[in-house]
Amino acid sequence: MDAILLKSTVKEWNELCAQLDEYQSKLSAEEKEASDFLRNFWRTHKTITPDDIATCNEKCDILRRSEKYHRSDPQIATCTKTFRGKVQKMYTEANFADFKKEMESSTPDSPQPEPAPSPQPTRPTGGRFTRRPSNPTIFTPQPQPQPQPQPRPQPRPQPTPRPTTPRPTTPKPTTPKPTNNTGTFKSCLSIVIIGLLIFGGYKLFSAFIGDSSSVGRSETTLYVIAEQLNIRDQNGTNGKKIGSITYGQAVELIDTLESWAKVKNGGTEGYVSRAFLANESDFRLLDIILDTPEAHKTVKDIRYRRALIDFAQHFEPAKDASLYIGKLPVEVISLVRQYSQETFAFVLVNKTTGQTSAGIYTFDADGRPLIESSMENVDVSSSARESNTSSQQRRNVDAQPQKKVKKNAEPKFSQEELEREIEQLDQATPKIHYTP
């Protein structure tokens, strides 16, 4: 790779990383994890393999899908899009080695730790070195003189004490010392404050332990988001049906095996498909949207229900909204016709503010929802007026007397031409799934 182009790419890479640091507060946890992985990949890997390239592409797909949630802030979307382009260009088998070498040369090295000083020899406890004489001389012990006994001194006679008369003494008046009440009060106050701090800390710690334990318990409780779900004796569709649960029922999660989950409902333990279960927060969002029996009948596909949950998680007006049952506005239908794959379009109406929002989703090979477009303040009154006008016109036509058709009158188009036109329209129009 050209050295000048490589240096320019490294400079742009560092600038994009600095911009991503500024946008950390606006990124989701999934976006932060993906961006940090891609930014530090060249530091943690010496070479790149096809598996590593596939992993990097998955992280880039996360950033690509998240760009649609930052339509109100186009700078973030532009930054992530440019960063993805640099990653897909540099993290290849042809360019990764040169890119890593240039990044290491342009990045200042971390300071090396100073070497520890070598231990100095210590002297013996005596404080001085003693040298052994080269020619030692053998000394013979000399006899020591025996000590002579000394005479004991005689005690001196003690004089006889004279009797003394005690003098009368008058006691001196004693004044009581003043007590230091201020010091006593301060010590008592400090003891009270320390006791309150210990008690408050204990309460906070107990509350934290209680909250964490409740969170752990809530994660083991899942809710059914399908209208009816079968419980089988083993994971897989070949398992025998041993029971069934309906929408909104809570089950206790025991274990997870790939796309299946082992659950307990009452006294029944078995396996159900993991895609038909959701945690409590996601179930509450879906239950608010599907608040009528008509909404449950309209949206039965589990992929569509997952799309409604995803939309309510990322858009504030949809958190307290219900599904709009009626004809979709023209502006939504015109956007839906631009996609050739299977599409799910819907309109939600906020119950408090009355604000409308629309979403259009497609699905990947695994059935995961991918948002394609979102709109706010969609006019649903125009579609209702068009529907009422057309029904009124039909009633007026039915009420008018029918005119007799002349026998010799010929239709504008023959039957074959009409069938041919309908066949062409069917081939040109993509298959669209949306709420009526």
Side-chain angles (χ1 to χ4, degrees), residues 6-20:
L6 186 59
K7 290 183 179 181
S8 176
T9 304
V10 169
K11 182 179 180 182
E12 294 178 1
W13 179 280
N14 294 329
E15 293 175 354
L16 290 172
C17 291
Q19 293 180 9
L20 289 174

Side-chain angles (χ1 to χ4, degrees), residues 103-158:
M103 286 295 294
E104 291 176 349
S105 62
S106 62
T107 305
D109 296 335
S110 58
Q112 298 294 334
E114 296 183 357
S118 57
Q120 298 293 335
T122 57
R123 293 190 175 186
T125 309
R128 292 184 179 180
F129 291 100
T130 58
R131 180 177 294 178
R132 187 175 179 180
S134 57
N135 296 321
T137 307
I138 300 175
F139 295 94
T140 57
Q142 298 294 334
Q144 298 292 336
Q146 297 294 332
Q148 298 295 332
Q150 304 238 354
R152 294 183 178 180
Q154 297 295 331
R156 294 180 182 181
Q158 295 294 335

